[in-house]
Amino acid sequence: MKKHKLETIELKVYVIPWIVVSGIFLVSSFFMFQAIRNHYYDLKKVEAVKIAKSYAQNLSKFALGEEIIEDLLREKISVAAKTLALLEGNYSNDVMVDMADLLEMDEVDYYDEEGVLRYSNLPEVLGWQVYPGHPIDVFLKSEETLLVEHIREDVITGNSYQYGYFKLPEGGLIQVGLRADRVQRFKNQFSRSNLLAEMMLSEDALHIHLLDGSLTILETT
């Protein structure tokens, strides 16, 4: 009986405190784990916000970049037309072929003062004449000396080009053009989808979505 009482006392002295300490440890570990997890989530939220802001800044720059790209294309066409104008009086089909390669244009043409296409790097368009209402006719009747159009279909070949025109001092004009698919390929290098793809490579992200003001997905990766 006395021995049993001693065992009970030992149980109370050693086992119960161990249980209490273990319980405290478990509870403390649980709350510590929760605190660590919440802190980790908070850090990830802060990091995600920073990344999102960085993306937003890049995309806002993209909007400006689109305008710059368009201006660069227009400038390229303008410079090509003005460069060809310097050769006035020395035009030939061979010259047009060489200048198309040099200026990296898909089409270069010379129209005389009557609106007849006299020289070109494209044999199939030679001899065509401007008719009333055609964009070239409208340009010739305007006060402008230089014009760069938006992409349109060429009435001769049926292909789509972005054309530029420059009036010559002695009459007639120079026309230069870039094929629409070539223009689009250049623009696509700076498209939103390509920009998002580059973001995916540079950041630790599973998906990136571009949303408009109503939270509709415009682009996604």
Side-chain angles (χ1 to χ4, degrees), residues 207-219:
H207 298 285
I208 300 176
H209 304 297
L210 174 62
L211 310 178
D212 63 12
S214 61
L215 300 184
T216 301
I217 296 177
L218 300 177
E219 297 282 347

Side-chain angles (χ1 to χ4, degrees), residues 81-131:
K82 291 177 181 178
T83 300
L84 278 164
L86 297 175
L87 300 176
E88 187 173 9
N90 297 294
Y91 298 128
S92 68
N93 293 327
D94 289 338
V95 167
M96 292 302 184
V97 171
D98 292 340
M99 292 304 293
D101 290 337
L102 179 65
L103 298 171
E104 297 182 336
M105 288 285 125
D106 296 307
E107 182 175 347
V108 291
D109 308 308
Y110 164 71
Y111 286 82
D112 65 18
E113 57 274 12
E114 301 299 324
V116 178
L117 201 165
R118 294 298 183 187
Y119 304 110
S120 175
N121 66 314
L122 303 178
E124 64 269 26
V125 303
L126 293 173
W128 185 81
Q129 184 165 10
V130 175
Y131 56 81

Side-chain angles (χ1 to χ4, degrees), residues 16-151:
I16 293 177
W18 180 84
I19 294 174
V20 172
V21 170
S22 297
I24 294 173
F25 175 77
L26 290 173
V27 172
S28 299
S29 297
F30 173 77
F31 285 110
M32 185 179 296
F33 172 76
Q34 288 290 97
I36 293 173
R37 186 178 66 174
N38 292 338
H39 180 65
Y40 173 76
Y41 287 159
D42 289 340
L43 288 177
K44 295 302 288 184
K45 288 178 183 177
V46 171
E47 183 181 353
V49 170
K50 287 182 179 179
I51 293 174
K53 287 182 178 179
S54 174
Y55 289 173
Q57 290 174 352
N58 287 335
L59 289 169
S60 65
K61 291 177 182 178
F62 163 79
L64 177 61
E66 279 188 313
E67 297 178 13
I68 294 174
I69 293 164
E70 187 66 34
D71 288 343
L72 286 173
L73 284 169
R74 296 174 69 84
E75 185 66 20
K76 176 181 176 67
I77 293 172
S78 299
V79 169
K82 291 177 181 178
T83 300
L84 278 164
L86 297 175
L87 300 176
E88 187 173 9
N90 297 294
Y91 298 128
S92 68
N93 293 327
D94 289 338
V95 167
M96 292 302 184
V97 171
D98 292 340
M99 292 304 293
D101 290 337
L102 179 65
L103 298 171
E104 297 182 336
M105 288 285 125
D106 296 307
E107 182 175 347
V108 291
D109 308 308
Y110 164 71
Y111 286 82
D112 65 18
E113 57 274 12
E114 301 299 324
V116 178
L117 201 165
R118 294 298 183 187
Y119 304 110
S120 175
N121 66 314
L122 303 178
E124 64 269 26
V125 303
L126 293 173
W128 185 81
Q129 184 165 10
V130 175
Y131 56 81
H134 185 274
I136 295 180
D137 176 64
V138 174
F139 170 65
L140 286 172
K141 294 175 180 177
S142 72
E143 298 298 321
E144 297 179 274
T145 57
L146 175 69
L147 173 67
V148 178
E149 291 186 305
H150 295 294
I151 293 174

Side-chain angles (χ1 to χ4, degrees), residues 55 195-208 221:
Y55 289 173
L195 182 57
L196 292 179
E198 289 180 8
M199 290 177 179
M200 282 286 292
L201 294 175
S202 62
E203 299 291 349
D204 183 18
L206 295 177
H207 298 285
I208 300 176
T221 58

Side-chain angles (χ1 to χ4, degrees), residues 174-191:
I174 291 296
Q175 172 180 272
V176 298
L178 286 172
R179 287 197 315 269
D181 59 337
R182 190 173 169 191
V183 171
Q184 199 57 52
R185 279 199 304 271
F186 180 76
K187 290 182 176 181
N188 284 344
Q189 296 177 49
F190 307 93
S191 66

